């Protein structure tokens, strides 16, 4: 029995039972007793209200399929080719569940990098960031708008070069330089609108946190997510997406937050 997975299963059952009761802030607590022939052990797990509130959105009909795909991508050491039922993997370690309980970001799991496809849509990822991480709505809107403009610039260039660079950016300097290249290309394309203002760059794209730490990885992943959402079909038509089957899309290398 995997206690983490069991807690989220029970949350799903509660959400189905109390469907539509969004006004209630529910915190779930699980006490897990175990005794494997040694000393008795007691583990305690808590599902915060903000995570439960997000799950209410994720289990809605329009998001349920995408959320299932996100959850499946978090299971570890599963040979999906041999899976016959949920019993074959339901007690395996799931990093999506563990990260939600630990307060770590699950943003990378929203990205199918191999298939260059967004898991879910902007509405679902916005619910996650606003409910769980209390992200400012203005920051989300700025990143969405900038992602749309970058996607359009990539489409006009007829190349996926900037997307490949953004996907592989390893640090803030790389990410900043890629945006600078996009600005130059947009000027060459005759675009009159700036990619972003100085205030948007400082306050929304790369707000300073503590010391030298910035939220650049979060911004990068959200930009990539939005570009995937806008350009996935175009990327496939142009041959910029590797053909993979459904099992391969799930059984890809697990994303690790930076």
């Amino acid at each position: 029995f995997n206690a983490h997975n069991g807690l989220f299963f029970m949350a799903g059952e509660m959400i189905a039972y109390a469907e539509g009761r969004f006004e209630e802030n529910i915190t779930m607590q699980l006490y897990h007793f175990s005794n494997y022939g040694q000393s008795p052990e007691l583990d305690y797990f808590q599902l915060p209200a903000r995570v439960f509130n997000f799950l209410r959105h994720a289990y809605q009909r329009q998001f349920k399929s995408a959320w299932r795909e996100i959850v499946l991508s978090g299971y570890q050491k599963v040979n999906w080719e041999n899976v016959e039922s949920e019993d074959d993997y339901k007690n395996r370690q799931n990093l999506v569940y563990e990260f939600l309980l630990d307060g770590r970001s699950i943003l990378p799991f929203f990205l199918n990098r191999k298939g260059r496809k967004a898991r879910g849509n902007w509405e679902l990822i916005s619910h996650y960031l606003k409910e769980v991480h209390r992200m400012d709505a203005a920051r989300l809107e700025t990143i969405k708008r900038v992602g749309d403009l970058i996607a359009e610039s990539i489409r006009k260039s007829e190349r996926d070069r900037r997307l490949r660079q953004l996907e592989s950016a390893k640090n803030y300097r790389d990410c900043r330089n890629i945006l600078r290249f996009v600005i130059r290309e947009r000027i060459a394309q005759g675009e009159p609108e700036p990619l972003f203002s100085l205030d948007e760059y400082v306050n929304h794209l790369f707000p300073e946190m503590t010391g030298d730490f910035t939220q650049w990885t979060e911004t990068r992943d959200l930009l990539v997510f939005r570009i995937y959402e806008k350009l996935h079909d175009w990327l496939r038509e142009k041959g910029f997406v590797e053909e993979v089957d459904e099992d391969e899309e799930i059984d890809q290398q697990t994303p690790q937050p930076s």
Side-chain angles (χ1 to χ4, degrees):
F1 174 74
N2 185 304
H4 294 140
N5 300 1
L7 179 56
F8 280 88
F9 172 79
M10 287 187 285
E13 293 294 296
M14 287 185 63
I15 291 168
Y17 177 75
E19 187 175 1
R21 295 165 64 178
F22 283 84
E23 71 280 359
E24 299 179 4
N25 286 319
I26 297 176
T27 298
M28 293 185 64
Q29 299 173 342
L30 175 68
Y31 297 88
H32 180 223
F33 297 89
S34 63
N35 185 350
Y36 295 103
Q38 301 178 4
S39 59
E41 294 183 1
L42 170 63
D43 292 320
Y44 165 76
F45 305 101
Q46 178 169 298
L47 186 71
R50 64 182 185 273
V51 174
F52 191 92
N53 289 337
F54 163 67
L55 291 176
R56 282 169 161 158
H57 293 290
Y59 278 103
Q60 290 183 62
R61 185 177 294 106
Q62 66 268 38
F63 303 130
K64 200 167 185 178
S65 176
W67 177 241
R68 182 175 183 275
E69 187 179 348
I70 291 166
V71 169
L72 288 176
S73 73
Y75 280 104
Q76 302 297 289
K77 299 179 181 178
V78 178
N79 186 342
W80 294 104
E81 292 183 356
N82 296 331
V83 167
E84 296 181 357
S85 71
E86 186 181 5
D87 291 335
D88 294 327
Y89 62 83
K90 68 180 182 181
N91 286 319
R92 296 282 187 176
Q93 180 187 24
N94 189 301
L95 295 186
V96 171
Y97 292 156
E98 290 190 8
F99 287 4
L100 282 172
L101 291 175
D102 292 341
R104 300 169 64 183
S105 175
I106 63 167
L107 184 56
F109 295 93
F110 282 82
L111 298 170
N112 181 335
R113 293 182 180 274
K114 190 171 184 179
R116 282 185 155 179
K117 183 172 67 174
R119 294 187 175 118
N121 57 20
W122 191 261
E123 186 178 358
L124 178 61
I125 206 170
S126 295
H127 280 309
Y128 164 67
L129 291 167
K130 286 189 286 189
E131 289 281 3
V132 179
H133 291 285
R134 301 291 192 261
M135 183 179 285
D136 181 66
R139 181 166 185 238
L140 267 171
E141 187 57 35
T142 297
I143 294 175
K144 178 184 178 183
R145 185 185 65 81
V146 171
D148 288 347
L149 294 177
I150 295 174
E152 185 58 28
S153 179
I154 292 171
R155 189 194 300 270
K156 288 183 177 180
S157 74
E158 293 288 328
R159 300 186 300 173
D160 68 337
R161 181 181 182 185
R162 297 303 173 217
L163 176 55
R164 283 189 283 107
Q165 291 174 334
L166 197 57
E167 288 169 324
S168 60
K170 295 296 190 294
N171 52 52
Y172 165 66
R173 180 179 178 181
D174 288 347
C175 197
R176 179 193 63 191
N177 283 337
I178 294 162
L179 295 181
R180 181 167 57 86
F181 295 148
V182 173
I183 290 171
R184 291 171 57 183
E185 288 178 352
R186 281 174 46 79
I187 294 173
Q189 291 166 352
E191 296 292 346
E193 181 183 1
L195 186 60
F196 46 75
S197 68
L198 179 60
D199 286 343
E200 287 174 329
Y201 183 89
V202 173
N203 296 321
H204 298 148
L205 290 175
F206 300 104
E208 186 174 7
M209 296 294 287
T210 56
D212 294 329
F213 175 75
T214 61
Q215 294 170 309
W216 77 269
T217 56
E218 189 173 62
T219 297
R220 177 202 60 195
D221 287 347
L222 281 171
L223 289 174
V224 170
F225 179 94
R226 185 59 177 172
I227 294 169
Y228 284 173
E229 186 177 17
K230 297 288 287 186
L231 294 186
H232 176 68
D233 291 342
W234 179 82
L235 290 166
R236 288 179 64 91
E237 291 171 3
K238 293 294 182 180
F240 296 139
V241 177
E242 180 182 350
E243 292 293 334
V244 293
D245 61 31
E246 185 176 350
D247 287 341
E248 287 179 308
E249 289 182 352
I250 294 173
D251 193 23
Q252 58 184 295
Q253 182 178 2
T254 302
Q256 299 291 341
S258 301

